[in-house]
Amino acid sequence: MCIQAFAALGLNDYSRVDFRMDKDGNLYILELNSMASLGIGGSLFYAAKTAGYTYESLINKILDVATIRYFGSSHLAETEPDLTQPLRIVARTYLRSHLQSQKETLRNFVNLNTHVYNIDNVNKLGSMLSRRMKHLGFSEHLYRQLDVGDIRYFKNHDEEKNDVLIISHMDTHYGPNDLISYFEDDDRIYGSGIAESKGGLTVMLGALHALRYSKRLKKIKCGVLLTTDDSLGGRFSKKLVQQYSRKSKYIIGLKSASKEGGIITTCYGRNDYQIRFTTPPNSTSSDIHGIIPILGKKIAAIEKLSKDEKNYRLRTTSVVAQGTHGHTPNYATLTLVCSFKTPALGKTMDSKIRTIMQKKESGQKNLEVAINQIQTRPPVIEEASDKRFYEIVEELAKKHELKIKRHEQIMSSDISNVPSRLPALDGFGPIGHRYRSTQEYILHDSIVERSALLASVLYRCSK
């Protein structure tokens, strides 16, 4: 009855239908309301939320449908874009029509376990991306690596400098048995690495395809650097990030946005420590527990230091204690990760960690301590150039009717290695949450919205 009445009245898009039922159970249509229940507390919003939309994307969907009706067909492969329309309209229309294709790409990325030391799979993902980038008109420079997967740099022009450099990574920290395959649940899409990198890579491809469809891609001198050692703090790619950043006017990272649509303007630095404790196997102070009581005291001291955690975060990520030839443990390895907001705080935390670890425990004069700082990344501090870049993005987001905000991320990223005073922002991937956990997810409808926003930002960077 609803559909027949809707069609009979020649309505478009949506309406709310009001009924009355008589005592005999007969239904009567009272009226069809357009623009009804469109508020955040309305029934249409709750229906849309169940279908996987946010309020913003619901409104944009209504506008997209109207745009297609008045300005062009949804069968985009068979039509030419209307170049008189703003990029945001052309891009979103294209992306809506190709959402299923984007999701298939994302599924293929997520279901490939690209642990940092799974070099074959990291390179397989690199090859998949290489084919897509070459199809878009990008040339490739391959940096062969032995310890990790190959680092890849693409650009779509022949000049020395880029208007914009996109940086992302292909590796993840998930081990061989940790992979969570792609699956959808209501408005969320889950999977290993989906928020941290693979959702962002999908958004990037969507933005570039939309720009090509709108005949604007060739107007942008764009570079793309795909690293393979983010899990190791950019140990091998650091110099390349610095090199290509210096040749670019703007630098963009593809980590997921925060739940409020946050663009990453600052992120913590990070120090990783591997600390080895050793006592002689024949030490007179050894007992049935060996070195374990010492290890317990060190961990308790770190736990005490962790309770404050103002502008820093300290975590024990691995504890291993062993003995030689089946005896009680006489050596142990402790792995720590310390994230910090400022360089000065990083130095303070480094000093405190070393003091705790090197402190001689009672009865253990022969204790040997070796502290190895296995990786380090500086914090990203928002500078004047970043503020100006954010203002550009904020202006474009308003035109897209998308909410964004400044976001401070505790986890470090590749933009940590971008030289200072260069405008660099991260968080241009889809809206996501719970990095590096079994519950890592992105919001379904944010794939299109963030792809369209990224397309506009890339185009603006060429101006």
Side-chain angles (χ1 to χ4, degrees), residues 43-289:
S43 56
L44 182 66
F45 168 64
Y46 285 104
K49 187 176 181 181
T50 302
Y53 292 86
T54 62
Y55 185 70
E56 290 79 10
S57 62
L58 165 65
I59 302 303
N60 284 329
K61 177 66 173 178
I62 294 171
L63 295 173
D64 288 341
V65 171
T67 298
I68 291 172
R69 181 169 63 251
Y70 286 105
F71 301 115
S73 167
S74 61
H75 302 289
L76 297 176
E78 302 170 6
T79 63
E80 287 293 315
D82 183 354
L83 298 182
T84 64
Q85 294 300 310
L87 174 59
R88 64 182 183 277
I89 293 177
V90 178
R92 191 184 289 121
T93 302
Y94 173 88
L95 291 161
R96 284 282 183 211
S97 299
H98 290 77
L99 177 58
Q100 194 57 41
S101 175
Q102 277 191 285
K103 288 165 62 177
E104 285 302 314
T105 296
L106 180 59
R107 181 190 299 272
N108 291 335
F109 289 174
V110 170
N111 289 344
L112 190 64
N113 189 315
T114 53
H115 180 262
V116 64
Y117 291 128
N118 190 339
I119 296 175
D120 288 343
N121 274 4
V122 173
N123 286 339
K124 185 175 180 180
L125 175 59
S127 296
M128 293 165 64
L129 286 159
S130 177
R131 288 193 294 272
R132 295 289 296 271
M133 296 300 289
K134 289 177 180 177
H135 179 68
L136 286 162
F138 284 76
S139 60
E140 179 182 22
H141 188 108
L142 192 64
Y143 292 90
R144 298 285 185 186
Q145 304 293 315
L146 297 176
D147 299 303
V148 294
D150 298 331
I151 299 170
R152 297 169 186 263
Y153 174 69
F154 304 90
K155 66 175 184 175
N156 67 338
H157 59 95
D158 297 323
E159 297 185 29
E160 180 68 19
K161 293 193 174 183
N162 300 308
D163 292 325
V164 59
L165 174 68
I166 302 172
I167 303 177
S168 188
H169 61 96
M170 298 179 286
D171 63 300
T172 62
H173 81 289
Y174 296 93
N177 301 316
D178 296 336
L179 181 70
I180 305 297
S181 298
Y182 176 105
F183 73 95
E184 299 182 30
D185 183 22
D186 291 333
D187 62 335
R188 299 178 179 181
I189 307 176
Y190 293 84
S192 298
I194 196 166
E196 191 176 2
S197 62
K198 295 180 178 178
L201 290 170
T202 305
V203 162
M204 175 192 73
L205 290 174
L208 295 176
H209 275 283
L211 286 165
R212 187 182 69 164
Y213 172 75
S214 66
K215 302 187 185 302
R216 290 172 170 90
L217 182 57
K218 290 183 178 180
K219 298 178 181 180
I220 308 167
K221 295 191 287 291
C222 182
V224 177
L225 181 63
L226 302 181
T227 66
T228 55
D229 59 348
D230 181 75
S231 306
L232 305 178
R235 190 184 307 169
F236 302 96
S237 63
K238 181 177 181 179
K239 290 183 179 179
L240 289 175
V241 171
Q242 294 172 341
Q243 172 188 332
Y244 286 116
S245 294
R246 290 191 180 100
K247 296 180 179 179
S248 307
K249 296 177 184 176
Y250 298 93
I251 298 95
I252 285 175
L254 297 177
K255 297 281 190 185
S256 69
S258 66
K259 290 187 289 184
E260 301 81 17
I263 295 293
I264 299 169
T265 56
T266 62
C267 64
Y268 281 31
R270 171 173 167 163
N271 288 332
D272 287 33
Y273 300 89
Q274 194 173 71
I275 305 155
R276 185 178 174 89
F277 306 94
T278 309
T279 59
N282 58 353
S283 174
T284 55
S285 61
S286 294
D287 57 20
I288 60 172
H289 302 297

